[in-house]
């Protein structure tokens, strides 16, 4: 399945760390790219340097219009899953979403325009309490992959963790 993330909005008062985390969670939890509006080039560079060290082909794309990305995705036959506390419970929707060939996951950094709810094929809640787009994204992608993404190998990196119960070991490839 092809999975991309589209983050709508950017809060200037928030630090770039939150933005970087949205990208890193997308990458680590099995998305192939994240589209973001109004972000600093430095976020893209940080995520690219993680990719160089740890592998994978994840991309950050800075876009002017979220609507163009969403429209283009639908035009090419893809479906949209918008994560919102007002949607249907993730566990009631996930089986259907798993049948799709490509999914664009929309998350909001701030209030999401009504149009996103209307364009979405699925409006999905990770519980109906307000929390965080990063937590919602992680839980949604984990459910979508049934946990398997946590064992995924990221090809082409310079480093690899050697898992162990105590201590830290990193192999240079
Ligand atoms: N009122 C918002 C909403 O529609 O979910 C909460 C805003 S929250 C600051 C920013 C983003 O976090 C939302 O746009 C949504 O993508 C995500 N989010 C927060 N709580 C969520 C939940 N319970 N389920 C799914 N997504 C959630």
């Amino acid at each position: 399945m092809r999975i991309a993330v589209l983050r709508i909005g950017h809060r200037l008062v928030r630090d770039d760390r939150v933005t970087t985390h949205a990208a890193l969670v997308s990458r680590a939890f099995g998305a192939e790219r994240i589209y973001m509006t109004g972000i600093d080039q430095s976020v893209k560079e940080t995520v690219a340097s993680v990719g160089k060290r740890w592998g994978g082909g994840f991309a950050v794309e800075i876009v002017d219009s979220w609507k163009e990305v969403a429209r283009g995705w639908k035009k090419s036959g893809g479906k949209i899953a918008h994560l919102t506390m007002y949607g249907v419970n993730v566990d009631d929707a996930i089986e259907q979403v798993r049948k799709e060939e490509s999914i664009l996951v929309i998350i909001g950094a701030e209030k999401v325009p009504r149009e996103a709810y209307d364009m979405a094929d699925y409006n999905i809640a990770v519980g109906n309490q307000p929390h965080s787009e990063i937590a919602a994204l992680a839980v949604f992608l984990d459910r979508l992959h049934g946990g398997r993404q946590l064992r995924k190998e990221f090809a082409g990196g310079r480093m690899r963790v050697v898992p162990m119960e105590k201590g830290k070991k990193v192999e240079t490839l």
Side-chain angles (χ1 to χ4, degrees):
M1 181 192 278
R2 224 185 126 208
I3 303 166
V5 177
L6 167 62
R7 197 183 70 151
I8 296 180
H10 182 69
R11 286 190 189 173
L12 290 174
V13 288
R14 288 216 214 170
D15 62 12
D16 281 348
R17 220 167 145 248
V18 173
T19 304
T20 306
H21 285 185
L24 292 180
V25 166
S26 302
R27 173 183 174 275
F29 284 73
E32 63 176 47
R33 67 183 53 234
I34 186 167
Y35 301 98
M36 294 200 264
T37 52
I39 63 154
D40 203 275
Q41 190 70 22
S42 68
V43 172
K44 194 171 165 156
E45 285 161 12
T46 305
V47 178
S49 103
V50 169
K52 263 192 200 142
R53 276 179 288 143
W54 297 101
F58 185 78
V60 174
E61 253 189 70
I62 302 174
V63 295
D64 292 330
S65 158
W66 70 264
K67 264 185 242 171
E68 263 175 42
V69 174
R71 278 198 201 115
W73 190 271
K74 290 199 81 153
K75 221 172 160 188
S76 66
K79 302 286 183 186
I80 295 179
H82 168 224
L83 304 187
T84 167
M85 62 186 280
Y86 304 104
V88 298
N89 192 287
V90 61
D91 289 335
D92 296 332
I94 205 70
E95 266 182 45
Q96 193 55 40
V97 181
R98 281 201 196 113
K99 291 180 188 156
E100 307 293 358
E101 273 173 26
S102 54
I103 284 287
L104 181 67
V105 187
I106 295 185
I107 53 173
E110 54 196 342
K111 196 170 187 302
V112 170
R114 174 75 211 209
E115 263 175 296
Y117 291 75
D118 295 336
M119 284 177 96
D121 300 281
Y122 305 94
N123 284 292
I124 293 179
V126 177
N128 299 112
Q129 298 298 321
H131 48 84
S132 138
E133 71 265 29
I134 298 171
L137 180 64
V139 170
F140 174 75
L141 292 178
D142 186 64
R143 294 282 212 284
L144 191 57
H145 293 290
R148 286 183 303 278
Q149 84 289 350
L150 300 182
R151 294 193 183 273
K152 181 181 158 189
E153 297 281 339
F154 287 73
R158 296 201 299 255
M159 290 148 83
R160 195 179 74 88
V161 168
V162 182
M164 55 176 54
E165 283 185 13
K166 287 186 183 173
K168 297 199 274 188
K169 190 167 176 188
V170 175
E171 221 172 45
T172 307
L173 305 167

